[in-house]
Each structure stands twice: as structure tokens, then as C-alpha cells.
Amino acid sequence: MAYDKFTTLTSTAVPLPIENVDTDQIIPARFLKATTRDGFGDNLFRDWRYNGDNTPKEDFILNNPIYKGKILVGGKNFGSGSSREHAAWAVYDYGFRCVVSSFFADIFKNNCLNIGVLPVQISPEFSEEIFEAIYADPNTELEINLEAQTITLLSSGTQESFDINGYKKGNMLNGFDDIDYLQSMKSEIETFAESRPF
Amino acid sequence: MSKSLFDKVWDSHVVRSIADGPDVFFIDRHLIHEVTSPVAFVGLKSRGLSVLYPERTFAVADHNTPTINQHLPVEDPLSANQLKTLEDNANQYGISHWGLGHQNNGIVHVVGPENGITLPGGTIVCGDSHTSTHGAFGAIAFGIGTSEVEMVLTTQCIMQPKPKKMRISVNGPLSKGVTPKDVGLYIISQLTTSGATGYFVEYAGDVFENMTMEGRMTVCNLSIEMGARGGMIAPDEKTFEYVKGRPMAPKGADWDKAMAYWKTLKTDEDATFDKEVSFNAADIEPMITYGTNPGMGMGISKNIPSAESVEGGKATYDKSLAYMGYAEDEQMIGKKIDYVFIGSCTNGRIEDFRAFASIVKGRKKADNVTAWLVPGSHIVEAKIKEEGLLDIFEEAGFVLREPGCSACLAMNDDKVPAGKYAVSTSNRNFEGRQGPGSRTLLASPLVAAAAAVTGVVTDPRELL
């Protein structure tokens, strides 16, 4: 599915400094029964966000209106566990366009890139600085420049570069996806398939 | 140049390498199930694309399926809709479909190997992280997201940078009561849930050489729980023996040709890895988890470690123990439990039920325990009956259910209630994984059996 182009994003951010946030927390399994990809944002972090009677848990960050923005800053090893792309859809559908962490689980990172959410991996030290800055002032903004591959904490000017595969970067800048690319080499794939023994 | 097993299989599937980009990687077998495929088909339809190789694609219903009364219509309308959508899509695109009631139905990672879909040296993907299971055959197998399911349906390829390589060696004799599940949980406890992120793992050493195919599948299944993309074990005579004669395995001249190739599938002696770790089998005892990720595991006789002694943030650790209702330094032995689940793609194979039976034989299910015995497939279910295990279970007060993913992720009705403790042979103890508020202790079938007959966490070595 083609997605929105990503160039530069300047936004406040929501801090979630918990380690090993697994995809079962991002979107619990019981919400995976849909057959379309819309509406998952309502259940993003469902069991951390709501009590059993569907009232919001006041101490969870998404229920605190002073924290908002298009960037989610997570703890180390964000997105571990299941391969469910629904987790990335939930993040996107809720309104986030970028997830920042000092370490991402593989499949979650891949899934984000495939649907137009930019995963930005930063150092643990910078991660700490960002959390502290947001807690000190929730209006703190981050600027993420995909072309330059930089993330900047605007209040202090602290900046780091981040890695992204050159091909994936091109896709995100242009709003292309892998299927567009693979379709263009179909005959090469068919020739290859004929050479496979099984 | 010297190559590892992983290099050999990976390199033979690269259709094109993109400079500063991923490889275009060819997929031999694509397994799909009802949860992660519907949106991929929506994408195909909206683009007006077709399925390139329906004969390389296999649809199996497993995540949502009930484990009782499978002959009746599925009650939950959302589950019923997903199952019907899988069937409709399979029919529309000419894909084989093993739905509820089909003799080959079961968990996708159990029925793949059973039916000879899984072959050495092949590549297998599925929209499910435990696809790593199939690495037990010397295949490259890993979980993918739904966008990638769509990609594979229509091009039989995904775009994937080649992961780094890690070799995990375990040598020496395993102690009494130590199973492949314990080996897997031990490795994860040592490496943490992110210790192998970015790597593809090869398991080496005599512990894995001596393991049955079922055991190897259990270990490879757990690779994803240490963050690895997948894990694999070089195929050997045991592998070939397992594959031979399976319905979809090559036959006749094709078999001979396959064998000639499969025998080359081992790591060259001077091949190098990006990371190597090794463990002594003697250090492993029956394992149990006490926290909310699979890395929070320990030998069953030990006490819960203190936050200071584990890697990672104290706040996260404290949150985890609070969720479980446990405290630092407590012992796990003797803790009361409420549920026991044996099944899942980790431990739902015949060998796991044999292990379970070895302890419950001649004993009785504890009154405080609700037990779910869920075979991984109809073929496993049939073997349980053939081998007389069902009689042992029934005499001990257990009931055998019908196959499916069941309480591993609780997408069906098999949910552990809030606050209750379950000893589970599945792969994840995340918060709410087995139902909102549920608390999961991951363990081997032997530990699960010991808990099922005593009603508390029990060292299985005392009952063997």
C-alpha cells in the first residue's frame, strides 16, 4: 500500500520510557480480528490506556493531554514480539508519523518502514536527554529531517544522525513501496523461479 | 570463499542485490493464516494484482479457531469472518486451504513440517514471527508483516537486507529433566529478548545434533524471543529421515537430486560469524519464567533475581514483577497456579505430549488447576490417541482439545482470566498475552505436567 511522503517533521513528542514494549501491548491480540487496516488507533496500547470498564487510566501518558504530537519516543527494544503489522498500523492510525528509540525490534522496524512510519534509532544518552526535556517542558519540539538523516532537540540544539537504508529512504521520501519496485522486475523473478528446484 | 549454512541458503535465493539497499529475496514457500493475510488481499485487489505462484502458497486457519466443537459454526462473528475471508481469498486465487475440519488442519508451523512443505535449504515466510520454527530443517524461515505478505503473494519475493550472522553453540550432556524448551529459555535468559536482534542464528554443537526434529523445532521457534530474525540447524540424517515420505516432499529422482544438494548444507569449517556465543549444557536446569518477557527466566530451583543483578531499567523490572504479583528473591517452587496450557507452535508436537504423559501417568490432575491440552494439529491428535497417551490423560482427569493456537495468544475463547497464573508451554509471557490481566509462566511440557498434578510450581525432576 503506497503511503504519504515523509520529508521533514517538526513536532512535540509523547514520551514512553518503558523498555521492551512488545507488540502485544501496542495492540493486544483480541483486536486483530478486523479484515481491513483502519481504526486500530482506537486500541493503541489498549490495556495500558483503559481500565477493564473502558474508562481511561489517568496515569497513562496517552491520557494526559499535555503530551501530544506526531512523534512517539519509546524505551529500549521497542516493538519486540509478534510480527503483527497491526502494531505499526495502530501507531500510524493514532497519528504518529515517527517512533524514536535507542533500540528497535527488527520486524516492528521493518513494518514501520513499509507503511510510512519512520523509525529513528538514537543513542541511549540522547534518548535520556529527550525524555528529560519533554518532562521539563511538554511543548519541547523535535525536528526530524529524513533527507539529512538528522534528529534535533530544538530546545537545546542537540542533534544526532540516524541510519536508514538508502533504498528505504528513497521510498519514504517519494511515497513508493516495495511492490512498485518488485512489479518492475517481474520477468527477472519468473526466470529465477524456474531455476528453483522446489 | 567459505560460507556458513545461512550464507549458502541466503545467497542461492537472491534474485537481485540493490546497492545500498536490500536484496530481492526469493521465497519458496509462503504460509498464510487468517489474521495477517486479509489486509494483504485487500491491497492486492485495490492494485488489481494477482497471486504469482498460488502453488507456492498455503493457507491454514489457526489463530482464531476454537478448540472444542470445531464441527459447529464458529460463534465469535469476528473470528468467523476472518476464517471465512481466508477461505474466500484462497478459493479466489487458487491457493490450497486447510481450514477447520480439514484433516491437515492445525497450527501453521506444525502442519508445514508434517506435510513436507518445509524442506532443507528452502526459504519460508509467514505473517507470524514464529515462522523461525522451520529453521530446524536447515531452511531460512522468518516472520513478516502484512505489507510483506502482500509483496510475496504478488511477486514471491521480499526486499530484505541480509542479516548479520550469529552462532550459538551448546555442548555437553543435558541433565535429567532438561528438554529443548529449557535449552531455548536458558539461551534467551542469558542473551535477553534483544540480544540477537539484527542477527540470524545458527545453532551448533552436540546438544542440537542429539536433539530430535521436534526438539530442534522448539529451539528454532524460540529464536524470535531473543530478537533474532530466525534460527537454523544444519540438516542431517535425522532431518532427511523426517522429511522422507511426507506427502509434499520430493520423491523418486527428485528426492535423490534434493539429497545431493541437502548434504552440502553445512557451515564450512573456516566460515566466520559476526558474533559467536557458547554455553555448557551442564549449566542448564528445567527453566521457568517469573516476569513479563521471555528473557525473564531462570532455573526452577533458583530465586527470582534482584533488579540490580539484571540488565535493563529497574523501573521496567519493578513494573514487570508488580504485574506478576511477585517480589525479588522469592522462590518460584511452591507458587500456586491456576491454569496449565500445553500446546502452541513451541510445544504442541507429539514429543511434547509424550513428555507431559510421562509425568501425569498414574497421577491425578490437581483440583485447583484448569488444564488445556491442545495438540498442534490433527495429525498430532491422532498420534496421541494411537500411542495410548489419551488414555493416560483421561485416567488422570485431563481432557484433550482440538488443534489450534489456542491459549498461546488467546484470540479464541481459551483465555486465562485476569490475575490468574498459567504455566504455559507456549512462547510468550507478555502482559495480557493469554487474556487481559493474565499471568504467564513459560516452561517445558515436563514442568507444565508437574504443575498440573501438584497445583503448584514443582521441579519435574522430583516426579520423573
Side-chain angles (χ1 to χ4, degrees), chain A residues 16 21-32 39-57 60 62-63 84 87 90-91 94, chain B residues 431-432 436-437:
Chain A
L16 190 68
V21 172
D22 59 77
T23 48
D24 272 77
Q25 308 318 312
I26 300 173
I27 185 86
R30 62 188 188 280
F31 299 112
L32 306 185
F40 286 96
D42 291 345
N43 295 314
L44 175 69
F45 293 114
R46 181 77 205 189
D47 293 336
W48 287 356
R49 206 168 135 196
Y50 296 100
N51 294 301
D53 60 1
N54 294 331
T55 54
K57 290 184 179 175
F60 186 60
L62 293 189
N63 296 324
R84 60 187 70 160
V91 166
Y94 185 85
Chain B
E431 288 184 26

Side-chain angles (χ1 to χ4, degrees), chain B residues 32 34 57-61 82-91 94-100 102 104-105:
Chain B
I32 60 174
E34 76 276 15
T57 314
F58 304 85
V60 182
Q82 266 197 340
L83 294 165
K84 178 77 167 50
T85 303
L86 182 74
E87 183 176 4
D88 290 348
N89 284 326
N91 288 342
I95 297 164
S96 67
H97 173 246
W98 296 346
L100 271 185
H102 192 287
N104 289 349
N105 182 253

Side-chain angles (χ1 to χ4, degrees), chain B residues 35-276:
Chain B
V35 177
T36 56
S37 71
V39 172
F41 283 104
V42 169
L44 273 195
K45 285 167 196 170
S46 72
R47 291 179 193 241
L49 297 171
S50 59
V51 175
L52 185 58
Y53 294 115
E55 69 278 14
R56 291 183 180 275
T57 314
F58 304 85
V60 182
D62 59 6
H63 280 57
N64 271 293
T65 55
T67 55
I68 50 168
N69 295 325
Q70 289 189 348
H71 60 290
L72 298 177
V74 175
E75 277 179 25
D76 176 352
L78 291 175
S79 292
N81 181 49
Q82 266 197 340
L83 294 165
K84 178 77 167 50
T85 303
L86 182 74
E87 183 176 4
D88 290 348
N89 284 326
N91 288 342
Q92 184 180 340
Y93 292 96
I95 297 164
S96 67
H97 173 246
W98 296 346
L100 271 185
H102 192 287
Q103 60 180 0
N104 289 349
N105 182 253
I107 304 172
V108 68
H109 308 310
V110 175
V111 302
E114 275 177 347
N115 289 281
I117 292 171
T118 309
L119 299 176
T123 54
I124 301 170
V125 294
C126 174
D128 186 283
S129 59
H130 292 104
T131 310
S132 60
T133 309
H134 308 267
F137 292 79
I140 290 181
F142 53 87
I144 57 175
T146 296
S147 294
E148 291 167 315
V149 172
E150 184 182 339
M151 241 174 263
V152 178
L153 285 172
T154 191
T155 68
Q156 206 59 37
C157 289
I158 64 165
M159 313 221 18
Q160 185 77 35
K162 189 175 178 180
K164 290 184 287 184
K165 293 169 284 177
M166 180 190 291
R167 181 159 58 187
I168 298 177
S169 305
V170 187
N171 284 291
L174 288 173
S175 311
K176 178 183 154 188
V178 176
T179 69
K181 179 64 165 292
D182 302 303
V183 175
L185 287 176
Y186 177 79
I187 296 171
I188 302 164
S189 75
Q190 300 299 302
L191 293 182
T192 78
T193 53
S194 59
T197 302
Y199 294 92
F200 210 99
V201 170
E202 178 176 348
Y203 296 98
D206 55 27
V207 163
F208 305 108
E209 286 162 18
N210 294 335
M211 254 179 212
T212 60
M213 290 311 295
E214 280 91 350
R216 293 177 190 180
M217 284 187 253
T218 299
V219 169
C220 287
N221 173 281
L222 291 167
S223 304
I224 184 71
E225 307 307 339
M226 57 186 97
R229 208 61 217 276
M232 67 197 306
I233 294 172
D236 59 8
E237 287 304 322
K238 238 180 253 181
T239 318
F240 308 140
E241 190 57 35
Y242 182 100
V243 174
K244 194 170 189 178
R246 303 267 164 189
M248 302 177 81
K251 302 199 167 53
D254 281 346
W255 175 261
D256 297 337
K257 199 174 118 193
M259 281 292 288
Y261 172 55
W262 293 347
K263 286 183 173 173
T264 68
L265 294 174
K266 51 179 72 119
T267 292
D268 296 334
E269 264 182 31
D270 45 355
T272 56
F273 289 79
D274 299 290
K275 189 171 179 182
E276 292 240 27

Side-chain angles (χ1 to χ4, degrees), chain B residues 188-439:
Chain B
I188 302 164
S189 75
Q190 300 299 302
L191 293 182
T192 78
T193 53
S194 59
T197 302
Y199 294 92
F200 210 99
V201 170
E202 178 176 348
Y203 296 98
D206 55 27
V207 163
F208 305 108
E209 286 162 18
N210 294 335
M211 254 179 212
T212 60
M213 290 311 295
E214 280 91 350
R216 293 177 190 180
M217 284 187 253
T218 299
V219 169
C220 287
N221 173 281
L222 291 167
S223 304
I224 184 71
E225 307 307 339
M226 57 186 97
R229 208 61 217 276
M232 67 197 306
I233 294 172
D236 59 8
E237 287 304 322
K238 238 180 253 181
T239 318
F240 308 140
E241 190 57 35
Y242 182 100
V243 174
K244 194 170 189 178
R246 303 267 164 189
M248 302 177 81
K251 302 199 167 53
D254 281 346
W255 175 261
D256 297 337
K257 199 174 118 193
M259 281 292 288
Y261 172 55
W262 293 347
K263 286 183 173 173
T264 68
L265 294 174
K266 51 179 72 119
T267 292
D268 296 334
E269 264 182 31
D270 45 355
T272 56
F273 289 79
D274 299 290
K275 189 171 179 182
E276 292 240 27
V277 287
S278 57
F279 301 105
N280 288 324
D283 294 339
I284 309 174
E285 65 168 326
M287 297 285 294
I288 194 150
T289 64
Y290 54 85
T292 55
N293 73 54
M296 299 175 77
M298 61 178 204
I300 196 164
S301 68
K302 304 214 165 55
N303 289 9
I304 296 173
S306 62
E308 275 68 36
S309 67
V310 296
E311 209 182 305
K314 184 175 179 343
T316 304
Y317 188 82
D318 289 347
K319 178 180 186 298
S320 181
L321 284 193
Y323 181 86
M324 292 302 292
Y326 294 152
E328 295 173 41
D329 206 37
E330 283 183 341
Q331 66 171 18
M332 289 298 292
I333 299 244
K335 287 205 175 294
K336 192 163 165 286
I337 57 123
D338 309 291
Y339 284 75
V340 165
F341 169 55
I342 171 167
S344 86
C345 57
T346 313
N347 284 121
R349 285 172 285 270
I350 186 63
E351 186 174 282
D352 303 312
F353 288 91
R354 288 182 196 136
F356 193 84
S358 73
I359 284 193
V360 306
K361 187 176 186 178
R363 296 190 169 95
K364 292 284 178 204
K365 184 183 79 63
D367 290 338
N368 63 309
V369 169
T370 301
W372 290 322
L373 278 55
V374 186
S377 70
H378 280 303
I379 292 174
V380 173
E381 183 185 23
K383 277 197 183 148
I384 288 171
K385 291 174 182 167
E386 264 168 48
E387 295 185 10
L389 304 180
L390 181 61
D391 299 333
I392 294 172
F393 297 150
E394 287 180 344
E395 277 164 30
F398 295 95
V399 175
L400 188 68
R401 299 173 82 91
E402 292 171 280
C405 296
S406 180
C408 174
L409 83 170
M411 278 192 78
N412 67 357
D413 291 332
D414 304 343
K415 291 176 174 55
V416 175
K420 299 292 184 187
Y421 291 93
V423 174
S424 286
T425 65
S426 51
N427 38 55
R428 287 184 174 147
N429 51 348
F430 298 148
E431 288 184 26
R433 170 80 176 179
Q434 297 194 279
S438 61
R439 293 154 157 172

